[in-house]
Amino acid sequence: MNVLFVSSEVAPFAKSGGLGDVAGALPRQLHADGHDVRVVLPMYPRVKVPGREFTEVKTGVEIQLGPTTVRFSIYRSDMPGTARNGSGESLPVYFIHCPGLYDRPSLYGQANDEHLRFATLSWAALKVCQHLAFAPDIAHVNDWQTALIPLLLHTRFAWDKLFARTKTVLTLHNIGHQGTFPASVLPETGLQDSAHLFHQDELRDGRIGFLVTGLLYADAITTVSPTYAREIQTPEQGVRLDGILRRRNDVLTGILNGIDEIEWNPQADHHIPAAFSSTSLDGKELCKQALLKSAGLPYKRDVPVIGLVSRLVWQKGLDLVVDVLPRLLSQHRFQMVILGKGEHRYEDFFRTLQRAFPTKVHFDSAFNEPRAHLVEAGADMFLMPSRYEPCGLNQMYSLRYGTVPIVHKTGGLADTVWPFDERSGRGTGFVFEHFDDAGLSWGIKQALSIWGSGTGDYRARWQHLQRNGMDLPFGWRHRVGRYVDIYRHLVPDAVMPPSSSPVSSSSSP
Ligand code: ADP
Ligand code: GLC
């Protein structure tokens, strides 16, 4: 099938979180299965790393967004490591080069022109198709930044036969971000003639929402775990979109994210000092030593290390961590290695914690991908107490690296981590149900007690728990079939490639 895949971030070119991971790996898997995929994202400065080659495809493209004329060029590069599909061709990635909009130190939120930046991306993705004469069967768009595309196809691009059979899929990675702006910016979406097609209650209240517009016009809506798909239809977790999500429930599906099994593979990870697997865990101990050494913390084989790698934001449940960790650290034997960037209040907290427990806590205020791999490999446990979590990738990386997750039972965490049951020996992690201090304390203490409660070789029980999670089928090749099913349902007469990945049997690990 011809798939246009548009995202505000795509790993390895630009990533601030899991959206980047997914928007890199899912198109890669579709391409590997023989679909004709074109990926489009902005040309942020960080995209241009030495050694990466770009070809200018077209220059001087102009679009008129209300009073604003936006000019951009289109560049092309290859998705690394993708020349392996049947045709031997790489997956083409197209970049929208518009320095006035995208030359910023961060991917998001530097000025008051987010609506213009991502309306431009949405228009530009369709312009890329026109320039390439690429007729997408599916336009797969992600989160609010690209959610205007369905309406653009119904209106400003409806004249173009290239899109006559194009159906749209909108994937919700996080409905906490909705791209809501004052109604006064509507002309700068280039949809000024279509005001009547925006959500009328919002318009009356003086707002427009990119995400809500996508929810109105996408042919299919997916989100990144079955539990989150249910949660967002409730008033408690729908962030005011629950009504429209319930109305569109017939086209809403929860599909668990996969992980990139090449990038996250403890048997062949060039970011870690020793390889390991479920059948040979010795290398993991070397990774733990290396992690503690790099953190300047003392190593003791029997003291567990809890890792945390996260955007430091409200969503991630860090308020509980702030409440609970100082006491637990003073009462129990464990160490913590934290890697994250985000809100000052959390960064300040972790700095203070490190000062209070200099032999137990290390905090890196950084976004550092190699180090994220080392934390996943070297820690014994991984903490993810998210308030809500549409899917979450780190808990799956952790499971694969034998790093037992401690998670709040929400969204994708509930779908990927099964509570460990001491008696039966089944389960993959520690799952607390109530999002409060007692819940988190309980989760951490459970983990510490299982760690410490083995008799004889105290590791035996722990290793059993580690192994339960390490070989689960979390790769995209097990998941991609669910998306292809949706594509196929929308465009039943599309030509399918001769061999596709097996359709995943279920969303549970
Ligand atoms: P979210 O997308 O909400 O941030 P996910 O668990 O889906 O949560 O994905 C987070 C991704 O971002 C993972 O690949 C994780 O390793 C990465 N990440 C988050 N913070 C950092 C950091 N400080 N350094 C390196 N990688 C990070
Ligand atoms: C969002 C969510 C996260 C999810 C990621 C990729 O950033 O917060 O839970 O894993 O998108 O879908």
Side-chain angles (χ1 to χ4, degrees), residues 9 16-23 143 171-175 177 223-225 228 257 311 315-316 384 386 388-396 412-413 476 483:
E9 47 186 275
S16 78
L19 169 61
D21 287 334
V22 172
D143 277 354
T171 296
L172 307 172
H173 297 265
N174 188 344
I175 64 160
H177 305 285
T223 187
V224 290
S225 69
Y228 192 59
N257 281 334
R311 293 182 296 120
Q315 173 197 345
K316 300 297 175 179
M384 248 177 124
S386 309
Y388 73 94
E389 194 62 76
C391 179
L393 298 171
N394 276 310
Q395 81 282 11
M396 292 190 271
L413 299 175
W476 270 111
Y483 282 101

Side-chain angles (χ1 to χ4, degrees), residues 7 9 12 47 76 90 114 182 243 274 317 356 368 373 375 397 473 478 505:
S7 173
E9 47 186 275
V47 159
R76 184 203 141 130
S90 306
E114 291 291 88
N368 180 337
H373 285 247
V375 176
Y397 302 152
H478 305 289
S505 48

Side-chain angles (χ1 to χ4, degrees), residues 312-315 319 322 342-350:
L312 302 180
V313 295
W314 181 84
Q315 173 197 345
D319 299 296
V322 169
E343 294 176 26
H344 291 306
R345 56 184 169 147
Y346 300 127
E347 295 207 11
D348 290 345
F349 165 75
F350 285 122

